[in-house]
Amino acid sequence: MTQSLVSSEAPPREQLQMRHLPQIIGRDAERTHIDFLVVSAPRRVSALVIKGEPGIGKTLLWQHTVEQCRRRDYRILAARPAEEEMPFAGNGLVDLFENVELDQAALDSESSPIARGRAVLEALRRLAAGKPTVVAIDDVHWLDAVSAGALRYAFRRLESDPIGIVLTLRVTDETTDPLTVGGLLPPH
């Protein structure tokens, strides 16, 4: 009898939570930035963009950051877009707000970009009023334009909200940061 090592069914999303991560050895500078984001998120808007070439461990650092935030009982809004999903307008928002009450009509790709951005901003503020919230996007360079526009709109308007933003960004000649987070957040 042979047994397949590949399952045709994906595990439920709850099972994909990153509870048992490999230990990060070294990477002291990166871990310092992660610790700063984790400690700062309950007090103010904080962001961490993990940049680098393909294959250097950005996703592992992202997972580590998300897990540190989970352990502190922060609300996690996560998305892991892929290149093939870029044409699907609003796909990133669907992933991020999958389990959040939100004005679904405003998220429609045909709705006004301002209405969509306002809906995202209001949802982020409402969630953060309950407990610190982290927007975590792995491979942000694959985020669709509609989602990126709504998130840029919302991020520009965050002030002292307890929200953390953690992104990974592949750095190559062809990729750009669709959120340009550094230029969107208020100075601290």
Side-chain angles (χ1 to χ4, degrees):
M1 179 162 100
T2 61
Q3 185 177 14
S4 173
L5 297 177
V6 179
S7 171
S8 61
E9 293 184 34
R13 194 169 190 153
E14 310 82 64
Q15 291 179 5
L16 296 177
Q17 291 184 351
M18 300 155 269
R19 300 287 182 200
H20 304 288
L21 295 175
Q23 183 179 5
I24 297 176
I25 298 171
R27 314 276 306 243
D28 293 338
E30 292 91 342
R31 288 175 33 206
T32 298
H33 290 293
I34 290 168
D35 292 345
F36 182 78
L37 175 110
V38 171
V39 171
S40 298
R43 295 189 312 270
R44 64 178 188 199
V45 180
S46 304
L48 173 63
V49 180
I50 304 165
K51 299 178 185 180
E53 297 172 359
I56 66 161
K58 296 179 299 297
T59 296
L60 178 63
L61 292 169
W62 179 85
Q63 291 172 329
H64 178 76
T65 307
V66 169
E67 181 56 25
Q68 294 305 311
C69 292
R70 262 200 189 101
R71 288 180 180 165
R72 290 180 175 243
D73 196 35
Y74 299 172
R75 182 182 325 276
I76 307 295
L77 305 176
R80 298 182 80 177
E83 182 177 18
E84 65 189 28
E85 298 170 351
M86 287 181 76
F88 305 144
N91 191 54
L93 294 177
V94 170
D95 287 350
L96 287 170
F97 295 99
E98 178 177 45
N99 298 312
V100 174
E101 190 175 315
L102 191 61
D103 178 4
Q104 294 299 319
L107 293 185
D108 185 277
S109 63
E110 301 300 317
S111 70
S112 154
I114 292 174
R116 191 178 313 108
R118 293 292 315 165
V120 169
L121 176 61
E122 289 167 10
L124 288 173
R125 284 184 172 155
R126 186 180 77 253
L127 294 170
K131 66 179 174 178
T133 299
V134 174
V135 177
I137 305 173
D138 187 25
D139 290 331
V140 70
H141 48 277
W142 300 133
L143 190 64
D144 65 277
V146 168
S147 297
L151 289 167
R152 279 193 310 270
Y153 180 95
F155 290 167
R156 269 194 299 273
R157 287 157 178 80
L158 295 173
E159 294 170 7
S160 59
D161 305 277
I163 295 176
I165 302 165
V166 58
L167 314 169
T168 65
L169 175 65
R170 178 180 294 178
V171 178
T172 68
D173 292 339
E174 293 85 37
T175 58
T176 59
D177 177 359
L179 297 182
T180 58
V181 169
L184 298 177
L185 300 178
H188 294 289

Short mmCIF file of all heavy atoms in Angstrom, two decimals, residues 124-176:
data_model
loop_
_atom_site.label_atom_id
_atom_site.label_comp_id
_atom_site.label_asym_id
_atom_site.label_seq_id
_atom_site.Cartn_x
_atom_site.Cartn_y
_atom_site.Cartn_z
N LEU A 124 -10.03 49.35 10.86
CA LEU A 124 -8.78 49.31 11.61
C LEU A 124 -8.92 50.03 12.95
O LEU A 124 -8.50 49.53 13.99
CB LEU A 124 -7.63 49.91 10.80
CG LEU A 124 -7.13 49.08 9.62
CD1 LEU A 124 -6.10 49.87 8.81
CD2 LEU A 124 -6.55 47.76 10.10
N ARG A 125 -9.53 51.21 12.93
CA ARG A 125 -9.69 51.97 14.17
C ARG A 125 -10.62 51.24 15.14
O ARG A 125 -10.37 51.22 16.35
CB ARG A 125 -10.22 53.36 13.87
CG ARG A 125 -9.14 54.27 13.31
CD ARG A 125 -9.64 55.66 13.10
NE ARG A 125 -8.54 56.55 12.74
CZ ARG A 125 -8.67 57.67 12.05
NH1 ARG A 125 -9.87 58.07 11.66
NH2 ARG A 125 -7.62 58.41 11.78
N ARG A 126 -11.70 50.67 14.64
CA ARG A 126 -12.63 49.93 15.50
C ARG A 126 -11.93 48.73 16.13
O ARG A 126 -12.05 48.49 17.33
CB ARG A 126 -13.86 49.49 14.69
CG ARG A 126 -14.94 48.84 15.54
CD ARG A 126 -16.15 48.40 14.74
NE ARG A 126 -15.85 47.18 14.02
CZ ARG A 126 -15.66 47.06 12.70
NH1 ARG A 126 -15.73 48.08 11.95
NH2 ARG A 126 -15.40 45.91 12.14
N LEU A 127 -11.18 47.98 15.35
CA LEU A 127 -10.47 46.82 15.87
C LEU A 127 -9.42 47.22 16.89
O LEU A 127 -9.28 46.60 17.94
CB LEU A 127 -9.83 46.03 14.73
CG LEU A 127 -10.80 45.38 13.75
CD1 LEU A 127 -10.04 44.85 12.53
CD2 LEU A 127 -11.60 44.28 14.42
N ALA A 128 -8.68 48.28 16.58
CA ALA A 128 -7.60 48.72 17.46
C ALA A 128 -8.14 49.31 18.76
O ALA A 128 -7.44 49.30 19.78
CB ALA A 128 -6.71 49.74 16.74
N ALA A 129 -9.37 49.78 18.75
CA ALA A 129 -9.97 50.29 19.99
C ALA A 129 -10.18 49.16 20.99
O ALA A 129 -10.16 49.38 22.20
CB ALA A 129 -11.29 51.00 19.70
N GLY A 130 -10.35 47.94 20.49
CA GLY A 130 -10.55 46.79 21.35
C GLY A 130 -9.26 46.19 21.86
O GLY A 130 -9.15 45.80 23.02
N LYS A 131 -8.27 46.09 21.00
CA LYS A 131 -6.95 45.60 21.39
C LYS A 131 -5.97 45.91 20.26
O LYS A 131 -6.38 46.13 19.13
CB LYS A 131 -6.97 44.12 21.74
CG LYS A 131 -7.27 43.16 20.61
CD LYS A 131 -7.21 41.74 21.20
CE LYS A 131 -7.63 40.68 20.23
NZ LYS A 131 -7.50 39.34 20.81
N PRO A 132 -4.67 45.94 20.58
CA PRO A 132 -3.69 46.24 19.53
C PRO A 132 -3.89 45.32 18.33
O PRO A 132 -4.17 44.13 18.48
CB PRO A 132 -2.35 45.98 20.21
CG PRO A 132 -2.62 46.18 21.66
CD PRO A 132 -4.03 45.68 21.87
N THR A 133 -3.75 45.92 17.16
CA THR A 133 -4.01 45.21 15.91
C THR A 133 -2.78 45.31 15.03
O THR A 133 -2.14 46.35 14.95
CB THR A 133 -5.23 45.84 15.21
OG1 THR A 133 -6.36 45.70 16.09
CG2 THR A 133 -5.54 45.18 13.89
N VAL A 134 -2.46 44.20 14.36
CA VAL A 134 -1.30 44.15 13.48
C VAL A 134 -1.76 43.76 12.07
O VAL A 134 -2.44 42.75 11.89
CB VAL A 134 -0.25 43.15 14.00
CG1 VAL A 134 0.89 43.00 13.00
CG2 VAL A 134 0.27 43.59 15.35
N VAL A 135 -1.40 44.58 11.10
CA VAL A 135 -1.61 44.27 9.69
C VAL A 135 -0.32 43.63 9.22
O VAL A 135 0.73 44.28 9.22
CB VAL A 135 -1.93 45.53 8.87
CG1 VAL A 135 -2.07 45.20 7.39
CG2 VAL A 135 -3.19 46.21 9.40
N ALA A 136 -0.39 42.37 8.83
CA ALA A 136 0.81 41.61 8.46
C ALA A 136 0.66 41.09 7.04
O ALA A 136 -0.22 40.28 6.76
CB ALA A 136 1.00 40.44 9.43
N ILE A 137 1.52 41.58 6.14
CA ILE A 137 1.46 41.17 4.74
C ILE A 137 2.82 40.65 4.32
O ILE A 137 3.81 41.39 4.31
CB ILE A 137 1.02 42.32 3.82
CG1 ILE A 137 -0.31 42.91 4.30
CG2 ILE A 137 0.91 41.83 2.37
CD1 ILE A 137 -0.74 44.17 3.56
N ASP A 138 2.85 39.37 3.99
CA ASP A 138 4.07 38.74 3.48
C ASP A 138 4.06 38.88 1.97
O ASP A 138 3.04 38.63 1.32
CB ASP A 138 4.07 37.25 3.89
CG ASP A 138 5.38 36.55 3.54
OD1 ASP A 138 6.42 37.23 3.43
OD2 ASP A 138 5.35 35.32 3.39
N ASP A 139 5.17 39.30 1.39
CA ASP A 139 5.29 39.53 -0.06
C ASP A 139 4.36 40.65 -0.52
O ASP A 139 3.57 40.50 -1.45
CB ASP A 139 5.04 38.25 -0.86
CG ASP A 139 6.16 37.24 -0.70
OD1 ASP A 139 7.32 37.66 -0.48
OD2 ASP A 139 5.89 36.03 -0.81
N VAL A 140 4.48 41.80 0.13
CA VAL A 140 3.61 42.94 -0.18
C VAL A 140 3.75 43.38 -1.64
O VAL A 140 2.83 43.95 -2.21
CB VAL A 140 3.88 44.12 0.79
CG1 VAL A 140 5.24 44.74 0.53
CG2 VAL A 140 2.77 45.14 0.72
N HIS A 141 4.87 43.08 -2.28
CA HIS A 141 5.07 43.46 -3.68
C HIS A 141 4.07 42.76 -4.59
O HIS A 141 3.87 43.18 -5.72
CB HIS A 141 6.51 43.19 -4.12
CG HIS A 141 6.98 41.83 -3.76
ND1 HIS A 141 7.47 41.55 -2.50
CD2 HIS A 141 7.02 40.66 -4.44
CE1 HIS A 141 7.80 40.27 -2.44
NE2 HIS A 141 7.53 39.71 -3.60
N TRP A 142 3.40 41.68 -4.13
CA TRP A 142 2.38 40.99 -4.92
C TRP A 142 0.97 41.47 -4.60
O TRP A 142 -0.01 40.93 -5.12
CB TRP A 142 2.45 39.48 -4.72
CG TRP A 142 3.73 38.81 -5.08
CD1 TRP A 142 4.41 37.90 -4.32
CD2 TRP A 142 4.48 38.93 -6.29
NE1 TRP A 142 5.54 37.48 -4.97
CE2 TRP A 142 5.62 38.10 -6.19
CE3 TRP A 142 4.32 39.69 -7.45
CZ2 TRP A 142 6.56 37.98 -7.19
CZ3 TRP A 142 5.28 39.59 -8.45
CH2 TRP A 142 6.37 38.75 -8.33
N LEU A 143 0.83 42.46 -3.75
CA LEU A 143 -0.49 42.96 -3.36
C LEU A 143 -1.18 43.63 -4.55
O LEU A 143 -0.56 44.40 -5.28
CB LEU A 143 -0.34 43.96 -2.21
CG LEU A 143 -1.61 44.41 -1.51
CD1 LEU A 143 -2.29 43.23 -0.81
CD2 LEU A 143 -1.28 45.51 -0.50
N ASP A 144 -2.47 43.33 -4.74
CA ASP A 144 -3.22 43.92 -5.85
C ASP A 144 -3.37 45.43 -5.64
O ASP A 144 -3.33 45.93 -4.51
CB ASP A 144 -4.59 43.25 -5.98
CG ASP A 144 -5.47 43.51 -4.78
OD1 ASP A 144 -5.32 42.79 -3.78
OD2 ASP A 144 -6.29 44.45 -4.84
N ALA A 145 -3.56 46.15 -6.74
CA ALA A 145 -3.60 47.62 -6.71
C ALA A 145 -4.78 48.16 -5.91
O ALA A 145 -4.65 49.17 -5.21
CB ALA A 145 -3.63 48.16 -8.14
N VAL A 146 -5.93 47.51 -5.99
CA VAL A 146 -7.11 47.98 -5.25
C VAL A 146 -6.87 47.91 -3.76
O VAL A 146 -7.13 48.85 -3.01
CB VAL A 146 -8.37 47.18 -5.67
CG1 VAL A 146 -9.53 47.44 -4.74
CG2 VAL A 146 -8.74 47.52 -7.11
N SER A 147 -6.34 46.78 -3.28
CA SER A 147 -6.05 46.63 -1.85
C SER A 147 -4.97 47.61 -1.41
O SER A 147 -5.08 48.25 -0.35
CB SER A 147 -5.59 45.19 -1.56
OG SER A 147 -6.61 44.27 -1.84
N ALA A 148 -3.93 47.76 -2.22
CA ALA A 148 -2.84 48.67 -1.89
C ALA A 148 -3.36 50.10 -1.77
O ALA A 148 -2.99 50.82 -0.83
CB ALA A 148 -1.73 48.58 -2.93
N GLY A 149 -4.23 50.51 -2.68
CA GLY A 149 -4.78 51.87 -2.62
C GLY A 149 -5.59 52.11 -1.36
O GLY A 149 -5.46 53.15 -0.70
N ALA A 150 -6.42 51.15 -0.98
CA ALA A 150 -7.25 51.29 0.23
C ALA A 150 -6.38 51.33 1.48
O ALA A 150 -6.61 52.12 2.40
CB ALA A 150 -8.25 50.16 0.31
N LEU A 151 -5.37 50.48 1.52
CA LEU A 151 -4.47 50.46 2.68
C LEU A 151 -3.64 51.74 2.77
O LEU A 151 -3.45 52.29 3.87
CB LEU A 151 -3.57 49.23 2.64
CG LEU A 151 -4.30 47.91 2.92
CD1 LEU A 151 -3.41 46.72 2.55
CD2 LEU A 151 -4.76 47.82 4.36
N ARG A 152 -3.15 52.25 1.63
CA ARG A 152 -2.41 53.52 1.66
C ARG A 152 -3.30 54.63 2.22
O ARG A 152 -2.87 55.44 3.04
CB ARG A 152 -1.91 53.90 0.27
CG ARG A 152 -0.65 53.21 -0.15
CD ARG A 152 -0.02 53.83 -1.40
NE ARG A 152 -0.96 54.00 -2.50
CZ ARG A 152 -1.19 53.09 -3.45
NH1 ARG A 152 -0.56 51.93 -3.43
NH2 ARG A 152 -2.05 53.34 -4.42
N TYR A 153 -4.54 54.69 1.74
CA TYR A 153 -5.49 55.70 2.22
C TYR A 153 -5.63 55.60 3.74
O TYR A 153 -5.53 56.61 4.45
CB TYR A 153 -6.85 55.49 1.54
CG TYR A 153 -7.88 56.49 1.97
CD1 TYR A 153 -8.12 57.65 1.23
CD2 TYR A 153 -8.65 56.29 3.11
CE1 TYR A 153 -9.07 58.57 1.64
CE2 TYR A 153 -9.61 57.20 3.53
CZ TYR A 153 -9.82 58.34 2.78
OH TYR A 153 -10.75 59.26 3.19
N ALA A 154 -5.86 54.39 4.24
CA ALA A 154 -6.06 54.19 5.68
C ALA A 154 -4.79 54.49 6.47
O ALA A 154 -4.84 55.20 7.48
CB ALA A 154 -6.54 52.76 5.95
N PHE A 155 -3.66 53.97 6.04
CA PHE A 155 -2.41 54.16 6.77
C PHE A 155 -2.04 55.63 6.90
O PHE A 155 -1.52 56.06 7.93
CB PHE A 155 -1.26 53.39 6.11
CG PHE A 155 -1.35 51.89 6.23
CD1 PHE A 155 -0.53 51.09 5.45
CD2 PHE A 155 -2.25 51.26 7.07
CE1 PHE A 155 -0.59 49.70 5.53
CE2 PHE A 155 -2.33 49.88 7.17
CZ PHE A 155 -1.49 49.10 6.40
N ARG A 156 -2.30 56.43 5.85
CA ARG A 156 -1.99 57.86 5.90
C ARG A 156 -2.76 58.58 7.00
O ARG A 156 -2.33 59.62 7.49
CB ARG A 156 -2.32 58.53 4.56
CG ARG A 156 -1.20 58.57 3.58
CD ARG A 156 -1.49 59.54 2.43
NE ARG A 156 -2.67 59.19 1.66
CZ ARG A 156 -2.69 58.34 0.62
NH1 ARG A 156 -1.58 57.76 0.23
NH2 ARG A 156 -3.80 58.10 -0.02
N ARG A 157 -3.91 58.03 7.35
CA ARG A 157 -4.80 58.70 8.31
C ARG A 157 -4.69 58.16 9.74
O ARG A 157 -5.36 58.65 10.63
CB ARG A 157 -6.23 58.62 7.79
CG ARG A 157 -6.40 59.57 6.61
CD ARG A 157 -7.53 59.21 5.70
NE ARG A 157 -7.65 60.19 4.62
CZ ARG A 157 -6.89 60.21 3.54
NH1 ARG A 157 -5.94 59.30 3.35
NH2 ARG A 157 -7.04 61.14 2.61
N LEU A 158 -3.88 57.15 9.93
CA LEU A 158 -3.67 56.64 11.29
C LEU A 158 -2.80 57.63 12.05
O LEU A 158 -1.86 58.19 11.49
CB LEU A 158 -2.99 55.27 11.24
CG LEU A 158 -3.81 54.15 10.61
CD1 LEU A 158 -2.95 52.90 10.49
CD2 LEU A 158 -5.08 53.87 11.38
N GLU A 159 -3.11 57.83 13.31
CA GLU A 159 -2.33 58.78 14.11
C GLU A 159 -1.74 58.09 15.33
O GLU A 159 -0.59 57.70 15.32
CB GLU A 159 -3.19 59.98 14.46
CG GLU A 159 -3.58 60.78 13.23
CD GLU A 159 -4.62 61.83 13.50
OE1 GLU A 159 -4.97 62.04 14.69
OE2 GLU A 159 -5.10 62.44 12.54
N SER A 160 -2.52 57.97 16.37
CA SER A 160 -2.00 57.37 17.60
C SER A 160 -2.65 56.02 17.88
O SER A 160 -2.62 55.53 18.99
CB SER A 160 -2.23 58.32 18.78
OG SER A 160 -3.62 58.57 18.92
N ASP A 161 -3.24 55.44 16.86
CA ASP A 161 -3.92 54.16 17.01
C ASP A 161 -2.93 53.05 17.33
O ASP A 161 -1.81 53.03 16.80
CB ASP A 161 -4.67 53.83 15.71
CG ASP A 161 -5.61 54.94 15.30
OD1 ASP A 161 -6.73 54.98 15.82
OD2 ASP A 161 -5.20 55.77 14.45
N PRO A 162 -3.32 52.08 18.17
CA PRO A 162 -2.42 50.97 18.50
C PRO A 162 -2.41 49.93 17.38
O PRO A 162 -3.03 48.87 17.47
CB PRO A 162 -3.01 50.42 19.80
CG PRO A 162 -4.46 50.75 19.73
CD PRO A 162 -4.55 52.05 18.96
N ILE A 163 -1.72 50.28 16.31
CA ILE A 163 -1.67 49.43 15.12
C ILE A 163 -0.23 49.21 14.70
O ILE A 163 0.54 50.17 14.56
CB ILE A 163 -2.48 50.05 13.96
CG1 ILE A 163 -3.96 50.11 14.35
CG2 ILE A 163 -2.28 49.27 12.66
CD1 ILE A 163 -4.85 50.79 13.34
N GLY A 164 0.12 47.96 14.50
CA GLY A 164 1.42 47.60 13.96
C GLY A 164 1.25 47.17 12.52
O GLY A 164 0.22 46.60 12.14
N ILE A 165 2.24 47.44 11.73
CA ILE A 165 2.24 47.04 10.32
C ILE A 165 3.55 46.32 10.08
O ILE A 165 4.62 46.87 10.34
CB ILE A 165 2.13 48.27 9.39
CG1 ILE A 165 0.87 49.06 9.69
CG2 ILE A 165 2.18 47.84 7.91
CD1 ILE A 165 0.85 50.46 9.10
N VAL A 166 3.46 45.07 9.63
CA VAL A 166 4.68 44.32 9.33
C VAL A 166 4.54 43.73 7.93
O VAL A 166 3.56 43.07 7.61
CB VAL A 166 4.97 43.24 10.40
CG1 VAL A 166 3.85 42.25 10.55
CG2 VAL A 166 6.27 42.53 10.10
N LEU A 167 5.52 44.05 7.11
CA LEU A 167 5.50 43.66 5.70
C LEU A 167 6.82 43.02 5.31
O LEU A 167 7.86 43.37 5.87
CB LEU A 167 5.31 44.90 4.81
CG LEU A 167 4.24 45.91 5.20
CD1 LEU A 167 4.38 47.16 4.36
CD2 LEU A 167 2.86 45.30 5.03
N THR A 168 6.77 42.11 4.33
CA THR A 168 8.00 41.68 3.69
C THR A 168 7.97 42.21 2.27
O THR A 168 6.92 42.25 1.62
CB THR A 168 8.19 40.15 3.68
OG1 THR A 168 7.18 39.55 2.88
CG2 THR A 168 8.19 39.59 5.09
N LEU A 169 9.13 42.61 1.79
CA LEU A 169 9.26 43.18 0.46
C LEU A 169 10.50 42.62 -0.22
O LEU A 169 11.61 42.79 0.30
CB LEU A 169 9.36 44.71 0.54
CG LEU A 169 9.61 45.46 -0.76
CD1 LEU A 169 8.44 45.30 -1.73
CD2 LEU A 169 9.87 46.94 -0.47
N ARG A 170 10.28 41.96 -1.33
CA ARG A 170 11.40 41.47 -2.12
C ARG A 170 12.04 42.65 -2.83
O ARG A 170 11.36 43.45 -3.46
CB ARG A 170 10.88 40.46 -3.15
CG ARG A 170 11.96 39.91 -4.05
CD ARG A 170 11.40 38.95 -5.04
NE ARG A 170 10.90 37.77 -4.34
CZ ARG A 170 10.31 36.75 -4.93
NH1 ARG A 170 10.10 36.78 -6.23
NH2 ARG A 170 9.90 35.72 -4.22
N VAL A 171 13.34 42.74 -2.73
CA VAL A 171 14.06 43.83 -3.37
C VAL A 171 14.78 43.29 -4.59
O VAL A 171 15.72 42.50 -4.48
CB VAL A 171 15.06 44.48 -2.40
CG1 VAL A 171 15.85 45.58 -3.09
CG2 VAL A 171 14.35 45.03 -1.17
N THR A 172 14.28 43.67 -5.75
CA THR A 172 14.93 43.37 -7.03
C THR A 172 14.75 44.60 -7.91
O THR A 172 14.08 45.56 -7.52
CB THR A 172 14.30 42.14 -7.74
OG1 THR A 172 12.98 42.47 -8.16
CG2 THR A 172 14.29 40.91 -6.84
N ASP A 173 15.30 44.57 -9.09
CA ASP A 173 15.15 45.69 -10.01
C ASP A 173 13.71 45.87 -10.46
O ASP A 173 13.30 46.96 -10.84
CB ASP A 173 16.05 45.50 -11.24
CG ASP A 173 17.52 45.59 -10.88
OD1 ASP A 173 17.85 46.18 -9.83
OD2 ASP A 173 18.34 45.07 -11.65
N GLU A 174 12.92 44.78 -10.42
CA GLU A 174 11.56 44.82 -10.94
C GLU A 174 10.49 45.12 -9.90
O GLU A 174 9.36 45.43 -10.24
CB GLU A 174 11.19 43.49 -11.62
CG GLU A 174 11.98 43.19 -12.89
CD GLU A 174 13.33 42.54 -12.58
OE1 GLU A 174 13.39 41.72 -11.64
OE2 GLU A 174 14.30 42.85 -13.27
N THR A 175 10.77 44.99 -8.61
CA THR A 175 9.72 45.14 -7.61
C THR A 175 9.69 46.54 -7.01
O THR A 175 10.71 47.22 -6.93
CB THR A 175 9.88 44.13 -6.45
OG1 THR A 175 11.15 44.30 -5.85
CG2 THR A 175 9.71 42.71 -6.93
N THR A 176 8.49 46.93 -6.61
CA THR A 176 8.30 48.19 -5.90
C THR A 176 7.42 47.91 -4.68
O THR A 176 6.70 46.91 -4.64
CB THR A 176 7.62 49.25 -6.79
OG1 THR A 176 6.35 48.74 -7.20
CG2 THR A 176 8.45 49.59 -8.01
#
